[in-house]
Amino acid sequence: MAFISSPFITCKKDLSFSALSSQSFTIGQRQTCKKTSSKKIVSVVSSQKNKRNPSATGSTKIPMTATEKILARAAEKCEVKPGENAWTNVDVLMINDITCPGITGIFKKQFGNTAKVWDREKVVVIPDHYIFTNDERAHRNVDIARDFCVEQDIKYFYDIQDRSNFRANPDYKGVCHVALAQEGHCRPGEVLFGTDSHTTSAGAFGQFATGVGNTDAAFILGTGKILLKVPPTLRFILDGEMPSYLLAKDLILNIIGEISMSGATYKTMEFVGTTTESLSMEERMTLCNMVVEAGGKNGIVAADRTTYKYLEDKTSSPYEPVFSDENARFLAQYRFDVSKMEPLIAKGKTVKVPTFLVPATQKVWMDLYTLEVPGSGGKTCSKIFEEAGCDPPASPSCAACMGGPRDTFGRLNEPQVCVSTTNRNFPGRMGHIEGQIYLASPYTAAASALTGFVTDPRKFL
């Protein structure tokens, strides 16, 4: 992935940076390891079962970042430091269709054929990768996941039974990262692992979230724990008014372009600043989604009113957000003036491509076909897209993001050039090994679709 760098950043390395802006709405901020009567966000339904105790008693010896606080609490310690290994309790484990067979096989081999998962309500299984295909091996992945969930009585299995005509049943939720959020599995202050590298998306909710391999996932299934090295934190301050032609994808592409694809290797990328605070939850998820493309262990955005409002009707479990201390130690600090940024793609090239549309969830798919667009004369989004020459919107899934079987919607079966709003452009990622993938924001992709060339969206805005 090659990036065009921008001149809108200053970087200063220091080992004692403090937070630049105070929290205007802090609930349940933990300053010590002692049990206190701090407020908690609790929804109106029943409380969570098997609630984990807070960290051990005793005074905090050093200020900590949000990530360090979350991991300290999950490890039942007063404090943790970057580089330290800690046995960490896990709140949620997400497994998708392509990893479930391997994970369940390892789980049964190591824990026994009759072993039970550590907590049936903390495991979330979401088929979303290779599902809308006639490939029977891909179907078998989902069958194995279904059998395991029935055997283990897994509470949260978002099944897709009806594959005969590429339709999803009502329980199907779409792309795992979006479904986790929409179904209330992402909560501030918690620890979430998923068998997909872009599980980092959930850091937008002020939690620790990252990807994990099959072996570690199997260990979590059996124990509810994982041995984790605490990452140091890089802080990214995004200030300035967001221009109308920019989206969160432009912001993270600019950041990665500056620090490089290895610039955050095994580090936390913490996003703060007035621009970050103005972003919607979906835009914050976009930021955190792509931290792994810079090598990041996790991304995190502090919980605030926007977070709490989003979660109001999505979870019945109590949660306790944490925030970086004002004098927490950051490995480095980067400052961006967003008002001076421009739209960015991962690599510049003149292209002409067909246009494929893949919604993220079942709800978005239904909205495309049912909601009328204001000022369109009663037309739906799907009607407008199809009249413009786009392929009809596909059923919600990851589609060609990871290639998959040859009949996967939008897959590069030839050495074509693709402008994509996905998150990874390694050779062969979307199919053909010689296919060229250029990452861009939805605005840039839409403008390029209208012209047949990589196009600056400001011409249309």
Side-chain angles (χ1 to χ4, degrees), residues 138-315:
H139 294 177
R140 183 62 181 146
N141 287 340
V142 182
D143 293 339
I144 292 172
R146 182 182 301 112
D147 291 344
F148 182 76
C149 289
V150 171
E151 170 193 303
Q152 296 284 334
D153 193 24
I154 300 298
K155 183 175 182 179
Y156 300 109
F157 173 46
Y158 299 114
D159 199 1
I160 176 168
Q161 279 278 8
D162 185 359
R163 298 186 303 270
S164 61
N165 58 358
F166 296 95
R167 290 184 304 171
N169 77 10
D171 291 331
Y172 177 63
K173 302 301 178 183
V175 177
C176 57
H177 312 302
V178 182
L180 281 172
Q182 291 188 350
E183 298 305 311
H185 300 293
C186 300
R187 294 177 289 266
E190 293 192 352
V191 174
L192 184 153
F193 285 91
T195 55
D196 186 293
S197 58
H198 296 106
T199 301
T200 55
S201 304
F205 290 83
Q207 66 180 148
F208 180 87
T210 194
V212 68
N214 287 7
T215 303
D216 284 342
F219 185 83
I220 294 172
L221 269 183
T223 66
K225 297 176 180 291
I226 189 171
L227 184 62
L228 185 71
K229 184 170 74 172
V230 179
T233 298
L234 302 176
R235 173 167 275 196
F236 297 86
I237 303 101
L238 305 175
D239 283 322
E241 184 176 355
M242 186 96 150
S244 62
Y245 49 79
L246 286 187
L247 293 171
K249 180 61 72 70
D250 296 299
L251 303 185
I252 191 62
L253 288 177
N254 269 279
I255 290 171
I256 298 175
E258 290 295 339
I259 68 174
S260 83
M261 292 175 58
S262 60
T265 299
Y266 209 93
K267 298 177 179 66
T268 297
M269 294 177 68
E270 179 177 301
F271 302 98
V272 299
T274 56
T275 305
T276 304
E277 293 168 2
S278 72
L279 297 178
S280 66
M281 286 310 304
E282 290 78 8
E283 290 172 313
R284 296 176 187 189
M285 289 172 67
T286 297
L287 285 182
C288 292
N289 174 276
M290 287 193 65
V291 300
V292 69
E293 306 308 325
K297 183 65 174 177
N298 69 300
I300 192 166
V301 177
D304 59 11
R305 286 188 177 90
T306 300
T307 319
Y308 309 139
K309 180 67 176 178
Y310 182 94
L311 291 173
E312 278 182 359
D313 61 347
K314 293 182 174 61
T315 182

Side-chain angles (χ1 to χ4, degrees), residues 401-430:
C401 173
M402 199 172 168
R406 287 186 63 83
D407 62 348
T408 301
F409 186 76
R411 186 184 191 274
L412 299 183
N413 292 322
E414 299 175 359
Q416 297 173 314
V417 175
C418 176
V419 175
S420 175
T421 62
T422 56
N423 45 36
R424 187 164 288 170
N425 64 351
F426 298 163
R429 169 72 180 184
M430 292 182 66

Side-chain angles (χ1 to χ4, degrees), residues 289-359:
N289 174 276
M290 287 193 65
V291 300
V292 69
E293 306 308 325
K297 183 65 174 177
N298 69 300
I300 192 166
V301 177
D304 59 11
R305 286 188 177 90
T306 300
T307 319
Y308 309 139
K309 180 67 176 178
Y310 182 94
L311 291 173
E312 278 182 359
D313 61 347
K314 293 182 174 61
T315 182
S316 60
S317 300
Y319 55 83
E320 186 173 2
V322 298
F323 309 95
S324 292
D325 291 323
E326 291 187 358
N327 54 343
R329 297 164 66 89
F330 298 94
L331 187 64
Q333 177 173 269
Y334 298 82
R335 184 186 298 276
F336 289 80
D337 183 351
V338 174
S339 67
K340 297 179 180 178
M341 282 187 181
E342 296 180 335
L344 188 69
I345 62 171
K347 185 177 182 181
K349 184 178 180 66
T350 302
V351 297
K352 185 175 182 179
V353 295
T355 303
F356 299 93
L357 304 164
V358 185

